[in-house]
Amino acid sequence: MQSKRTNPGELRVAVVGFGWMGRVHTLAYRRVSEHFPGLPLRPRLAAVADEVPGRAEEAAALFGFERAATDWRALVDALDIDAVSITAPNFLHREIGEAFARAGKHIWIEKPVGVDAADARAVEAAALESGVTARVGFNYRNAPAVRRAKRLIAEGAIGTPTHASFRLLGDYAADPAGAFTWRYELERAGHGVVGDLAAHGVDLIRYLLGEVVDVTSAGAIFIGERRRPTGATTGHVRAEEGDLVTVANEDWSASLLTLDSGAKVTLEASRVAVGHQNDYGFRIHGTHGALEWDFRRMGELLQAGGEHAQDLPMATVFTGPGDGASAAFQPGSALSLSYDDLKVIEAEGFLQAVAGVPGADGAGLADAVAAAEVLDAIAASSESGARVTVAQRIAIAEAAR
Ligand SMILES: NC(=O)c1ccc[n+]([C@@H]2O[C@H](COP(=O)([O-])OP(=O)(O)OC[C@H]3O[C@@H](n4cnc5c(N)ncnc54)[C@H](O)[C@@H]3O)[C@@H](O)[C@H]2O)c1
């Protein structure tokens, strides 16, 4: 049953899981109304839950949540909560997502939405049945340079996209002393770097270039054992003591993708790429031009274009108020946004969607399901060494149900 809002201009939100993402969602809720004053809804921090004793209380004291809980179940049927941010580890997305959706709460959920496509589908089904609105944490599509790239591709500025390369390289797991957290377990994470980082790459590919038809992939684990931490963790911490445990999912993945347009795309993701921190980006080549973006230089887009394809220079364009939601943050060009700003934009899309604004911005659960199907196909292809069509992979999963 959906709760009745006491103040129709307010959306009373809960945040479940207060690690890195819980904090970023909370900060976004706190800033979104100031950046987007026209929004019909204003978030109110109603509740926070985290299973680590004291963590939710600390968050409540610091950020102003009205109450704190260690068990998220205590919040599911609360009449003073309209929406929830699900920022707990992947294995909890399905259970928490289904429970809150069935209780009539709108959902802003982190990628990859569960450990596999079946989980993402289950959350989508629950949301559809209950008629609640959902948005998913595919934040990189919110970067103004990515929005500019999408517009340029649609306008034909690079001709027909023929091939592209997407990379998501990180070093957060490059230290063998990095603790064995939920991210390294099949049961709690599902895929390894495929669910963690390639998920963002697949969303960008779909957003910019179209649907993935087939994949040929390889994956590898380079650090086979890690130590189980002795205390609670958040993010990527070191563990010098504790039992050695076998890492169950991939550190690195590389794929060749065919898109529905026929374009060919390479996608590489690594969590052990020494020397590369948050090195995310793409190069897209078309018949008459090219685009290149590096997340670490978020406000810059490299562009080439012209009638004669050969010898075109790549020019750097600094994004400005005309690109994406830039104008909500800065008045001129070359004033770059931050990672947190991408989440403020995502919060805006969520609030718009809940308020029923036509054409509300942001990735939805259908995007999460579509991305998860590709991620499962990548995992299947890495295992078999064969090319896997996404449709084949869906058929196999359906037959197994
Ligand atoms: N969109 C992005 O760029 C991005 C970046 C990082 C993580 N993520 C996603 O966000 C999610 C969380 O990742 P993180 O980096 O914040 O992880 P984290 O480990 O820093 O935080 C997870 C939090 O969830 C809490 N938690 C665990 N079990 C719980 C339970 N039963 N009830 C309540 N709280 C519980 C933990 O105590 C911890 O505070 C993951 O799904 C991850 O894929 C997305």
Side-chain angles (χ1 to χ4, degrees), residues 15-23 25 49-52 55 69-73 86-93 95-96 109-114 136-140 181-183 188 195-197 200 232-236 280 339 343 346:
V15 174
V16 175
F18 207 81
W20 178 29
M21 278 305 108
R23 206 180 166 86
H25 279 225
D50 197 291
E51 68 162 6
V52 175
R55 197 170 274 179
T70 43
D71 188 352
W72 58 269
R73 289 172 190 82
I86 302 173
T87 47
N90 303 351
F91 74 104
L92 292 166
H93 292 175
E95 189 186 357
I96 299 175
I109 187 167
E110 266 312 320
K111 44 59 63 180
V113 185
V136 179
F138 285 127
N139 30 263
Y140 296 107
T181 62
W182 61 267
R183 282 193 159 81
R188 294 203 292 164
D196 219 20
L197 297 184
H200 285 298
T233 66
T234 172
H236 313 293
Y280 310 153
Y339 176 87
K343 282 298 195 200
E346 207 166 271

Side-chain angles (χ1 to χ4, degrees), residues 154-303:
E155 289 170 0
I158 64 165
T160 305
T162 50
H163 62 290
S165 146
F166 285 68
R167 67 175 191 288
L168 298 107
L169 307 179
D171 68 351
Y172 67 80
D175 185 347
F180 183 88
T181 62
W182 61 267
R183 282 193 159 81
Y184 303 93
E185 285 179 41
L186 284 182
E187 297 73 25
R188 294 203 292 164
H191 308 298
V193 76
V194 166
D196 219 20
L197 297 184
H200 285 298
V202 170
D203 183 64
L204 284 176
I205 291 165
R206 294 186 57 252
Y207 183 67
L208 292 169
L209 296 173
E211 296 300 332
V212 178
V213 174
D214 66 47
V215 308
T216 308
S217 309
I221 297 175
F222 297 113
I223 300 178
E225 289 183 322
R226 294 177 182 274
R227 292 198 184 274
R228 195 184 289 285
T230 44
T233 66
T234 172
H236 313 293
V237 292
R238 286 163 64 88
E240 309 284 357
E241 294 164 2
D243 299 338
L244 271 177
V245 195
T246 303
V247 171
N249 53 29
E250 72 293 337
D251 289 327
W252 168 86
S253 163
S255 300
L256 173 62
L257 317 176
T258 308
L259 306 190
D260 53 0
S261 63
K264 296 287 187 185
V265 178
T266 60
L267 169 63
E268 183 184 13
S270 174
R271 61 188 180 189
V272 294
V274 174
H276 290 253
Q277 300 86 30
N278 301 301
D279 179 357
Y280 310 153
F282 55 74
R283 287 198 317 269
I284 298 172
H285 301 276
T287 48
H288 291 91
L291 296 167
E292 189 169 341
W293 182 65
D294 181 337
F295 163 71
R296 297 166 302 176
R297 306 171 75 92
M298 201 197 304
E300 299 174 23
L301 184 69
L302 273 69
Q303 286 177 222

Side-chain angles (χ1 to χ4, degrees), residues 290 303-305 309-315:
Q303 286 177 222
Q310 202 174 333
D311 296 327
L312 289 174
M314 290 293 276

Side-chain angles (χ1 to χ4, degrees), residues 57-186:
E57 286 76 6
E58 244 174 64
L62 188 58
F63 293 98
F65 288 97
E66 285 158 14
R67 65 196 150 108
T70 43
D71 188 352
W72 58 269
R73 289 172 190 82
L75 307 178
V76 172
D77 294 315
L79 291 177
D80 61 344
I81 292 173
D82 309 306
V84 63
S85 269
I86 302 173
T87 47
N90 303 351
F91 74 104
L92 292 166
H93 292 175
R94 179 176 184 161
E95 189 186 357
I96 299 175
E98 285 182 327
F100 276 95
R102 293 208 174 107
K105 320 290 190 205
H106 304 291
I107 291 174
W108 179 11
I109 187 167
E110 266 312 320
K111 44 59 63 180
V113 185
V115 300
D116 57 16
D119 277 5
R121 280 193 185 284
V123 178
E124 184 190 41
L128 286 173
E129 270 165 39
S130 306
V132 298
T133 298
R135 283 293 180 268
V136 179
F138 285 127
N139 30 263
Y140 296 107
R141 58 159 75 189
N142 301 334
V146 173
R147 297 294 171 111
R148 184 185 183 90
K150 186 170 173 68
R151 176 173 59 77
L152 290 172
I153 293 167
E155 289 170 0
I158 64 165
T160 305
T162 50
H163 62 290
S165 146
F166 285 68
R167 67 175 191 288
L168 298 107
L169 307 179
D171 68 351
Y172 67 80
D175 185 347
F180 183 88
T181 62
W182 61 267
R183 282 193 159 81
Y184 303 93
E185 285 179 41
L186 284 182

